[in-house]
Amino acid sequence: MREILSKIQDLIEEQRARVEGMKSQGAPADYSKMDRIVIGVCGGDGIGPYITEQAARVLERLLAEEAASGRIVFRNIEGLTIENRAAQGKAIPDGVMDELKSCGVILKGPTTTPRAGDPWPNVESANVAMRKALDLYANVRPVKVPDQGIDWMFFRENTEGAYTLGSKGLNIDGDIALDFTVTTTQGTERIARLAFEYARKTGKKRVTAVTKANVVKTTDGKFLSICKSISGEYPEIEFDDWYIDIMAAKLLDVKRRSDFQVMVLPNLYGDILTDEAAELQGGVGTAGSANIGGKYAMFEAIHGSAPRMVSEGRAQYADPCSMLRASVMLLEHIGFTDKAAALARAMDYCMFTEKRVRITGRADGVTGREYCDYILSNL
Ligand code: IPM
Ligand code: MG
């Protein structure tokens, strides 16, 4: 028992240190003042290298002038592969972590997340480790279905909740397993503020918090009450809250769902709800996401590495749109708003209007490379 209590004490100390870190955080990166922005490109596992290569090709085209002048530098980062992580027994191998930190922004392909029973050691997810190590506290995930009036922006808290100690649960004895979920004042305030600031900047009228505060009373209760209190600073924006179960249902309610605009939610609910939302948009393969911190930002697909597509020899048919949507967010984040809008426009045109070629994930559709050529021809 003493050993278990001492482990719990260590976990609390770790969280205290994280809170102190958040309290002393400096001003966020200002890309407009930087003479040089390094974009790290990290292929990942499975279909990752295929779709990342295509998205990087589009980004390189869009930023050709800036790359020529040296303001933008593309840096390839090798080694964030499951084989390398397994060999080192680390979620992010040391050399890779140093390289990631040498870049301000990162375009990252999906990485395989080991689980018990896999041929790999059950190391922590590379995504989760990177989000924590670079303090990428906001997972920003847009979902749009224009012809159904759906225009949602999810602000998923990305460094706390069920994830922060997700690999540090305790097996108390043969019968009892214990996991932890963490909500902090600072961690919740910063994600809530980002959601409200986004709403204010873009003229959105409503922010919705999603929790299960009726049951998970302490941590979700804290998350909800902080969101509520921050909403007081934004009187022009309507604030409401829903529980995750009914929210998952309401996303399917065609009469109500287009009323939702901005959602702010703890890590695990954000993980689940954004997959559901992306499915309505055409599948997780169409959805990109931004992982934003004060110092670093990482842009990725919302889906996994689809090893089955590789083993079935279909990796070249994987949909690069998730990584292209992530690239739109990357461009926006570093201040290339016009280029971001141009890419988004070309994608919308190809995906929703002209639809001259289609991606199906199989040989009856075009390859990811061909799809990117199609989009480039419409830029
Ligand atoms: C996501 C993914 C990750 C997560 C996995 C790969 C650990 O599902 O980015 O949504 O759960 O956050
Ligand atoms: Mg997910």
Side-chain angles (χ1 to χ4, degrees), residues 4 8 166 168-180:
I4 286 166
I8 293 178
K168 295 190 175 165
L170 299 174
N171 279 302
I172 309 295
D173 54 31
D175 294 325
I176 302 174
L178 211 57
D179 266 313
F180 304 92

Side-chain angles (χ1 to χ4, degrees), residues 141 156 271 275 302:
R141 298 185 158 183
R156 165 188 178 190
D271 176 47
D275 267 19
I302 79 162

Side-chain angles (χ1 to χ4, degrees), residues 18 160-161 181-185 187-188 218-220 222-223 226 266:
R18 208 169 55 76
E160 305 198 336
T181 184
V182 179
T183 297
T184 68
T185 305
T188 310
T218 310
T219 45
D220 280 8
K222 184 176 178 68
F223 189 94
I226 290 175

